[in-house]
Amino acid sequence: MQTRRIFKDRLAKETMLVLTIVSILFVIVMGIGLYMKSAPILGEKSLWDLLSSSQWRPMKGEFGFLPFIVGTLWVTFIAIILAFPVSLLTAIFLTEYAKPIVKKCVFPALDILAALPSVIYGIWGTLVIVPVISEKLAPHFVEYSSGYTVLAAGMVLGVMILPLLVSLFIEVFSIVPLELREASWALGATRWQTTRKVVLRKTFAGIIASTVLAISRAFGETIAVLMVCGCMITIPNNIFESCYPIPALIANNYGEMLSMPLYESALMFAALILFVVVLVFNILSRIVLYRMEKKLN
């Protein structure tokens, strides 16, 4: 009997190890596959020309990714700027102030937001956000705006990553031992002072790591952003102009690439850019979170 239990324990351990290795191999294989598909365009053009040029004329063999990179950065930056304070304050409220009945109502709502398909966010952005920007907001700053803008894409993306940020912040705040809070209260600090000077200070690295993780998630969002960004191959000068993020480029042009091998390679290179950025951001955020947990424990 004892031998059977030991065998089952070892079998479970080895199975989980194999599955873990397979998961890592998937990432490696994906990266190698994208690089191999990108090799033709990298052989024709230098990396600097691809990343710094703004000319996108596939029929003439010109593949400049700068407008798409700038558009991606614009949209992601606006999304984080809008979602970060709301997510942080929501997480603080839920972990430090909210009663159990409030948590029971808020957590299901966040789960629903996280589970909604991205196309729903895109439709909401098209029907609500775009007209508001075009008719109400943009006329105060520019002569004309279609509403399909950097701001619209950033707002939709900000709402999409809101549940992720809240969940990450709550997880980070939960790492702080209750004893630290009780010690602060015993010294006469208010709940807000304890939150600001104990919880937030102890979890600052985790907050940064969670934000970086959310940024990596925002980089790859496609359908919702595609529906409201305007898809204009230009470098936007302000938030009321259209843009063309990299995920939208891939989604819009994937069907056209089959007849042009270099075009296919260019789109695979765009996917490789996203892959590398997301991979680096995830690794950095995990390292920071690991160090924070180790420091607190």
Side-chain angles (χ1 to χ4, degrees), residues 25 31 106 186 252 263 265:
L25 288 177
V106 174
N252 256 351
Y263 197 179
S265 180

Side-chain angles (χ1 to χ4, degrees), residues 32-46:
I32 294 174
L34 289 175
Y35 176 77
M36 293 178 64
K37 286 290 186 179
S38 304
I41 191 69
L42 291 173
E44 291 281 338
K45 308 283 185 180
S46 69

